[in-house]
Amino acid sequence: MFRIANDAVVQEMNAPVVRTFARRRRLTPLRRIVQGATLLLFIAIPFLNLSGINFVTGTLYSMAIGSLTMSDPLVVVQHVLAAKELFVPLLLSAIIPVLLALALGPVFCGWMCPQGFISEMVEAVRQRMKPRANSRDAPRKGALWVKMKWLILIVGLVGAGLFSLPLFNYISAPGIITMQIANAVFLGSVGPELVLIAAILGFEILWFRRGWCKVVCPIGSALIAMKTPATLRIEHDQGHRCNTNACGVACVTSCQLAIDPRISKQMWLCTNCAACIDACPDDALGWRFLSKV
């Protein structure tokens, strides 16, 4: 009888872990499909254009679907500051991306950005080969690297306004990746801009886990800056006491940005990737549009 009771206890202890794996099948595979489909789309576009199919054209700097044009809002602002004039069609091309950011937050970073996708895959492989605890992971809001993150965004805007310097064109990793894919197909060669992508991966592998997204990327900074109290966000149920013995704080360890979703002050950096929601065995996390905090 003692053996049966002991087995029941073991099964109860393992239950949260089983639920964790079941939950992971809900969102993470869908996100991987979206990330992969986005990258494949920008690989396919130049081939389609070469074949005379021009319904979809462009890169992640600016792209057109039929008569609908969408541009990176940061590139649009940069152009306005540099040109010192308002070009209405260009401004209109930023409306859809801005509305999506206001409604859904920086989901582009977590669900579509090719640089984010590549960095995630590289980090996942690296963790399998040699897991590490990185002291530079924690996103403390007052840390020096956080100040650097906003400084880069401000310097880029000031540089565009004062010197007509298109800094964001040179450090837009998703724009560079998609542009170089097009160059490879159309021209049969790639430019030196890919050195930046290699440097990003080296920086993240050797020194700062997911450091580009956390410290440098101006697109991510701009999308984060667009958050409002009504923007979609991941929130922790404050009335729920987490069973940390069962989950091992799975929500934190599952996040490559090292965000603790139980601490609302850290969630400013969250990209709504939902890895923490999938990992949580206690159903304590969820998406909300109106913040309760």
Side-chain angles (χ1 to χ4, degrees):
M1 172 152 325
F2 176 78
R3 172 61 179 252
I4 295 174
N6 192 45
D7 288 346
V9 171
V10 171
Q11 289 177 0
E12 183 177 353
M13 291 178 63
N14 288 336
V17 178
V18 173
R19 288 201 301 271
T20 298
F21 284 106
R23 288 177 58 79
R24 283 178 180 170
R25 297 193 185 99
R26 294 182 187 177
L27 293 170
T28 299
L30 175 61
R31 188 167 69 91
R32 294 290 181 237
I33 291 172
V34 174
Q35 289 175 313
T38 301
L39 184 57
L40 289 175
L41 171 64
F42 286 98
I43 293 174
I45 286 174
F47 287 105
L48 292 172
N49 297 161
L50 281 178
S51 301
I53 302 173
N54 297 306
F55 180 73
V56 181
T57 59
T59 67
L60 280 172
Y61 289 119
S62 183
M63 68 178 297
I65 303 175
S67 59
L68 177 65
T69 301
M70 293 178 288
S71 300
D72 179 351
L74 198 55
V75 173
V76 171
V77 172
Q78 174 183 256
H79 176 83
V80 169
L81 292 174
K84 309 294 190 301
E85 64 178 355
L86 299 178
F87 184 52
V88 175
L90 184 62
L91 292 175
L92 292 176
S93 71
I95 288 179
I96 292 179
V98 167
L99 290 177
L100 287 175
L102 290 173
L104 304 180
V107 291
F108 170 80
C109 301
W111 287 73
M112 291 179 285
C113 177
Q115 178 61 53
F117 181 40
I118 294 170
S119 289
E120 280 191 51
M121 295 298 99
V122 169
E123 173 62 18
V125 171
R126 196 210 56 73
Q127 282 285 3
R128 286 180 178 274
M129 295 175 61
K130 188 178 179 181
R132 72 179 173 191
N134 194 329
S135 62
R136 290 177 287 273
D137 278 352
R140 300 189 309 276
K141 199 166 185 177
L144 177 61
W145 64 261
V146 175
K147 297 176 183 177
M148 181 64 69
K149 181 180 183 68
W150 297 117
L151 179 62
I152 291 171
L153 179 62
I154 293 170
V155 167
L157 294 173
V158 172
L162 294 181
F163 309 107
S164 298
L165 178 66
L167 176 64
F168 300 135
N169 288 15
Y170 302 138
I171 62 173
S172 170
I176 289 173
I177 290 172
T178 52
M179 178 63 77
Q180 293 308 312
I181 289 172
N183 286 346
V185 175
F186 289 126
L187 305 177
S189 63
V190 295
E193 293 87 350
L194 284 182
V195 172
L196 175 65
I197 307 305
I200 290 171
L201 296 178
F203 171 60
E204 294 182 335
I205 292 171
L206 299 175
W207 187 59
F208 201 129
R209 184 190 189 201
R210 298 302 305 281
W212 178 263
C213 296
K214 288 197 263 189
V215 181
V216 181
C217 181
I219 296 174
S221 300
L223 294 175
I224 288 171
M226 293 183 200
K227 287 184 177 181
T228 73
T231 300
L232 181 70
R233 67 195 63 225
I234 293 172
E235 284 194 354
H236 177 257
D237 182 356
Q238 298 299 319
H240 189 99
R241 291 189 176 183
C242 292
N243 184 356
T244 55
N245 290 328
C247 72
V249 198
C251 58
V252 181
T253 56
S254 68
C255 177
Q256 287 196 1
L257 299 182
I259 300 169
D260 188 339
R262 300 168 303 167
I263 303 174
S264 60
K265 290 182 179 180
Q266 291 190 7
M267 294 303 286
W268 63 275
L269 188 63
C270 177
T271 62
N272 286 344
C273 79
C276 59
I277 294 178
D278 278 358
C280 177
D282 293 327
D283 295 330
L285 298 171
W287 270 323
R288 293 187 180 92
F289 277 102
L290 293 174
S291 175
K292 294 182 179 180
V293 180

